[in-house]
Amino acid sequence: MRIAIYPGTFDPVTNGHFDLIKRAATLFDHIVIGVAASPSKNTLFTLDERVALLQQTCSVLPNVSVAGFSGLLVDFATDQKANILIRGLRTTMDFEYEFGLTTMYRRLKPDLESLFLTPSEEYAFLSSTLVREVAIHGGDVEQFVPDNVHQAIMAKIKVKGH
């Protein structure tokens, strides 16, 4: 079985992320979306909330599962029996950052191969950070995220008093 992991913070998951997930799901037997705990980041959603939002979003894809993780990505890949790492690249800056990570991953887990996917043109500008910032400042982000995620963002911002 060809098992791939697509790791990220996904705070929040965007239509760009979901586009990559759908496309990757056609390439592999199983995709595990690895939601990183990322304790150093000031996330809008908790790890459990991010996992739940991705599970709802990906429920239409039978060969996709979602799991939260903390610690090293290579250890998560080993636990999931995955030997393919999927990463999205939007810009040359993304490439430079990911290239450095890939080199480290290859040293730590030589059998973990990285596959880089570029976004569909309409999502090339989209990032979770941008969506969060626009939403926190009162902008409409409905077109950038799945419906369930939009509802969760609106509820979260309302609760936080933004």
Side-chain angles (χ1 to χ4, degrees), residues 41-149:
K41 292 186 178 179
N42 185 19
T43 58
L44 180 63
F45 294 101
T46 67
L47 176 60
D48 289 342
E49 290 169 333
R50 289 180 279 134
V51 167
L53 287 169
L54 269 156
Q55 286 171 332
Q56 293 164 4
T57 300
C58 295
S59 65
V60 297
L61 303 170
N63 64 329
V64 174
S65 62
V66 181
F69 77 97
S70 59
L72 290 175
L73 175 60
V74 292
D75 293 338
F76 179 70
T78 300
D79 292 344
Q80 298 299 314
K81 298 177 177 39
N83 63 349
I84 299 162
L85 171 65
I86 297 168
R87 297 297 293 162
L89 295 179
R90 292 169 304 193
T91 67
T92 56
M93 287 176 40
D94 285 350
F95 175 79
E96 289 179 20
Y97 176 74
E98 293 295 338
F99 188 80
L101 287 178
T102 299
T103 303
M104 178 60 79
Y105 297 149
R106 194 171 288 134
R107 293 285 177 111
L108 296 174
K109 184 173 173 50
D111 65 333
L112 183 63
E113 192 62 55
S114 295
L115 176 68
F116 299 109
L117 295 176
T118 57
S120 296
E121 188 176 308
E122 68 262 37
Y123 304 122
F125 70 95
L126 198 54
S127 73
S128 294
T129 302
L130 188 57
V131 167
R132 255 192 339 270
E133 289 299 312
V134 169
I136 287 169
H137 291 96
D140 183 9
V141 296
E142 187 171 12
Q143 64 182 316
F144 307 125
V145 295
D147 290 338
N148 64 311
V149 176

Side-chain angles (χ1 to χ4, degrees), residues 6 15-25 87-88 117-119:
Y6 177 30
N15 289 336
H17 291 129
F18 191 49
D19 175 60
L20 286 183
I21 292 166
K22 289 185 292 189
R23 290 170 39 219
R87 297 297 293 162
L117 295 176
T118 57

